[in-house]
Amino acid sequence: MPLLTPEDIAALGLESDLPRARLETVVAAIEQEIVSRFGGHASQTDVIEDDGAVVIHASRSVASVSSVVELVAETSTTLAADDYRLVGKRSLERRPAGTNPRPSWGRRVTLTYEPVDETALRKLVLVELAMLDVRFSGVASESDGGFSEAQADYRRERERVMARLARESRMFA
C-alpha cells in the first residue's frame, strides 16, 4: 500500500493540472526511490560483512529484531536472542555466551528487523519531492514582461529534501 495517494498530496497543498494517472506515476516513482535508497517502510534486511567485529551496526534505528543469521566459514546459523544484544538504537553486540556462543561476529551477518517508524517523515519527504517534481519546468529562469522567476537547482533541492531521511538514519548511530 502506498504511503500517500495523489488525493492525500493534494489535500496537503499540492496544486497541479496533471492528470491523476500522471500524478500517481510521480508519487509511485518517488516512493520507490525512497525505498531503494533508505529501505522498506516496515521491514529492513542488512547484510553486514565485518568479520571479527564485536559490534555491528544496522543501517537504520531498530525497533525490534526479527532474525540474525551469521555465516562462519561455510556454515549459516540463525542466532538465538541470547547470542547478541541491542546496544542503543542501531548496534548489535555479539555475546560470548548464549545458545551459539562466539566472541565476535562471523564473516557475514544478515540482520532482519523492523526499523523505528519513520512514516511521518517519509510522507513529508514524499510530499515535498512531489511538489518539487510537479513544479519543475526544466528551465533555470523565466520572464514575461515585468514578471521574472528563477528556479532552484532541481538536483540540489531534491538531494536536500532526501537528506532529511539520511540524517534520520544516522541520528542514532
Side-chain angles (χ1 to χ4, degrees), residues 84-137:
Y84 59 88
R85 74 180 182 102
L86 186 61
V87 179
K89 295 282 186 183
R90 291 187 48 207
S91 301
L92 264 71
E93 178 181 62
R94 187 65 165 96
R95 299 183 77 186
T99 305
N100 303 286
R102 279 185 47 84
S104 62
W105 290 103
R107 178 167 46 114
R108 181 180 314 128
V109 178
T110 303
L111 170 62
T112 305
Y113 59 98
E114 180 183 327
V116 169
D117 187 15
E118 300 173 333
T119 304
L121 179 60
R122 284 176 178 234
K123 285 180 178 182
L124 179 62
V125 166
L126 181 57
V127 168
E128 289 181 12
L129 289 174
M131 288 179 172
L132 182 65
D133 285 2
V134 167
R135 292 180 180 146
F136 180 66
S137 68

Side-chain angles (χ1 to χ4, degrees), residues 34-45 60 115-116 118 122:
I34 289 170
V35 169
S36 175
R37 288 176 69 171
F38 302 105
H41 304 310
S43 179
Q44 178 81 25
T45 299
R60 295 167 65 190
V116 169
E118 300 173 333
R122 284 176 178 234

